[in-house]
Amino acid sequence: MKDNHLIDMSEDNLDLGKVEISPEVIEVIAGLAASEIDGVATMRGNFASGVAERLGRKASHGKGVKVDLQEDGITVEVYVTTNYGASIPDVCKKVQENIYQTLKSMTAIELSGVNVHVVGVQLEVEKKEEPVNKEQ
């Protein structure tokens, strides 16, 4: 594992300077790419991000994404909840493809793998009709 936790992108043109991408940036890009797919209901966050959201802080776009920097490459772990009725294998394949293509086009990073973990199924919640107040 790298000590500085940054991805060095300055392989092409060393005389212009150094470009580094933080793993948090990759998490945000991957989280947004996964959320774009039909059939993905939510991304799973950890306890701390759930508490922060309830206290009024903005939702983290990198929620439900973990980036592993290894010697043999970069692996992205994605934790999603799918919509009930959606084909889970199809949704996961689309999530993998979209994350891979989005990261490649935005950062030129080649991933070792994109692992999708389905941690739940979201049932449709029917909205109850509010009673109409006839005294108006």
Side-chain angles (χ1 to χ4, degrees), residues 1-126:
M1 182 160 231
K2 295 182 180 181
D3 291 332
N4 61 2
H5 302 290
L6 294 175
I7 300 160
D8 189 11
M9 302 298 298
S10 59
E11 297 171 359
D12 296 336
N13 211 347
L14 297 175
D15 53 336
L16 291 178
K18 190 175 191 179
V19 176
E20 295 178 334
I21 299 177
S22 169
E24 288 81 17
V25 172
I26 295 171
E27 289 175 0
V28 169
I29 294 170
L32 290 171
S35 298
E36 291 175 351
I37 302 301
D38 288 334
V40 173
T42 59
M43 303 291 289
R44 184 193 83 179
N46 58 22
F47 178 74
S49 67
V51 170
E53 284 180 37
R54 286 188 176 91
L55 293 175
R57 293 190 182 165
K58 291 184 180 181
S60 170
H61 293 293
K63 176 171 84 170
V65 180
K66 181 182 174 203
V67 175
D68 289 327
L69 305 174
Q70 302 294 329
E71 295 297 327
D72 58 341
I74 300 169
T75 303
V76 175
E77 304 283 337
V78 184
Y79 299 87
V80 300
T81 300
T82 60
N83 290 322
Y84 177 77
S87 170
I88 292 175
D90 290 343
V91 169
C92 292
K93 179 75 172 164
K94 289 176 185 175
V95 166
Q96 288 174 318
E97 291 171 350
N98 199 35
I99 289 173
Y100 185 83
Q101 289 300 324
T102 303
L103 281 170
K104 186 173 181 180
S105 67
M106 291 183 72
T107 64
I109 292 174
E110 292 284 337
L111 298 174
S112 298
V114 177
N115 300 320
V116 180
H117 306 273
V118 179
V119 295
V121 175
Q122 172 96 25
L123 301 175
E124 285 189 34
V125 179
E126 293 182 21

